[in-house]
Structure formats: structure tokens, C-alpha cells
Amino acid sequence: WTVKDSLESAIQLAHARAARRYPGQGDLGGGQTVTITGLRAAPELNGELGLTLCFDPQAGRWLVRLRNGEGKKVKPANL
């Protein structure tokens, strides 16, 4: 967590973190709630809810925090 001393600076930080920086990240931004779908290698994760943390442009995947606290890298097409 990052604590800011004013609402204005908190809003600027939130916007900067949610901004779309890479074309490959799809229509997603950081901090969005997502549902995992269409996974073949780990079908047990299909239907799981998660939170997008950050996009890895080299891997072309979002780091998603699952409800159990585990992190998974997932392609935008599967969110």
C-alpha cells in the first residue's frame, strides 16, 4: 500500500497505476477485478476471480492476485 497525504495525490497515483501503457495489455488496467476463463493448462482456475496487479510486456501477461492470495501470470485474452 502507498499512503498519500492528500486526495489529489492519491487520485494521481491511482490514475498512473491504471493507465494503459502497453498495447498488448488489452482493455485492462491495474486494479481491475477479473474472471479467469479459457485456460487449458490450468482449467481449475477457470471461473476464479482475481485482481490485476501489473502487466509484464515481455511475457504479454498480467500478474493477477487470486482470492487465495496466490499470484498467476495470465494472458489478457483469458481475463
Side-chain angles (χ1 to χ4, degrees), residues 4-73:
K4 293 292 185 174
D5 58 356
S6 72
L7 178 59
E8 182 178 344
S9 62
I11 290 171
Q12 289 173 348
L13 177 64
H15 180 267
R17 288 183 175 174
R20 288 165 181 80
R21 295 181 182 93
Y22 306 100
Q25 76 184 73
D27 292 331
L28 299 167
Q32 285 188 259
T33 302
V34 293
T35 302
I36 297 176
T37 61
L39 294 182
R40 292 186 215 154
E44 68 279 4
L45 296 177
N46 291 328
E48 283 288 324
L49 293 177
L51 184 71
T52 56
L53 298 179
C54 62
F55 184 72
D56 179 349
Q58 282 76 30
R61 289 170 165 75
W62 276 97
L63 177 58
V64 177
R65 174 77 42 141
L66 303 177
R67 289 184 291 179
N68 66 4
E70 191 176 348
K72 294 287 182 186
K73 286 191 175 182

